[in-house]
C-alpha cells in the first residue's frame, strides 16, 4: 500500500514544487497547478504525454482542460493524501 508523506518527506518534496507554481490544498491534502499553452492542440498533446506516465505509474490525476489551459490536482486517494507518487508525477508534468 502507498503511504502518505511523512512531515519530513513532505517538506523535502513539496517545497520545490510550490516554488515551481504548485499550490498545496491542505483541506484535501492535494497539490494543484494550472498549465497554460499556446492553444488547444498543445494542451491536449501535453495531456496525452502526461497520461502515458500516469498510466505507466498507475497514478492518475484529477484534471480538466479549457481551451489552452489544463488544471491538474494530485493526491493519492488510497493513502488519504499526498504520497511520493504525487511529487513524482508533478515533477514529470513540469518537465514535459
Amino acid at each position: 500500500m502507498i503511504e502518505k508523506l511523512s512531515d519530513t518527506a513532505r517538506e523535502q518534496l513539496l517545497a520545490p514544487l510550490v516554488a515551481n507554481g504548485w499550490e498545496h490544498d491542505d483541506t484535501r491534502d492535494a497539490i494543484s497547478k494550472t498549465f497554460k499553452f499556446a492553444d488547444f492542440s498543445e494542451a491536449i498533446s501535453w495531456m496525452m504525454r502526461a497520461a502515458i506516465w500516469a498510466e505507466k505509474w498507475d497514478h492518475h490525476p484529477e484534471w480538466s482542460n479549457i481551451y489552452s489551459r489544463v488544471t491538474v490536482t494530485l493526491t493519492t486517494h488510497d493513502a488519504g493524501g499526498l504520497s511520493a507518487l504525487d511529487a513524482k508525477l508533478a515533477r514529470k508534468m513540469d518537465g514535459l
Side-chain angles (χ1 to χ4, degrees):
M1 179 174 197
I2 299 169
E3 293 185 19
K4 192 172 177 177
L5 289 175
S6 67
D7 290 340
T8 303
R10 180 178 298 272
E11 287 178 28
Q12 293 173 344
L13 294 175
L14 295 185
L17 295 174
V18 170
N20 201 26
W22 289 87
E23 295 179 3
H24 182 241
D25 177 355
D26 41 335
T27 62
R28 294 188 57 199
D29 196 23
I31 54 175
S32 61
K33 182 175 181 177
T34 298
F35 293 85
K36 297 177 182 156
F37 302 93
D39 56 28
F40 179 75
S41 179
E42 281 190 23
I44 291 298
S45 295
W46 179 87
M47 289 178 80
M48 292 303 300
R49 291 190 308 274
I52 291 168
W53 289 100
E55 187 64 18
K56 179 178 180 175
W57 294 333
D58 193 27
H59 191 62
H60 305 95
E62 298 173 18
W63 56 7
S64 64
N65 164 247
I66 300 174
Y67 185 63
S68 62
R69 292 182 326 231
V70 178
T71 301
V72 177
T73 300
L74 300 173
T75 191
T76 303
H77 300 284
D78 293 345
L82 289 167
S83 74
L85 277 174
D86 298 304
K88 182 179 178 179
L89 187 54
R91 286 191 306 270
K92 177 56 76 175
M93 289 177 161
D94 282 339
L96 292 174

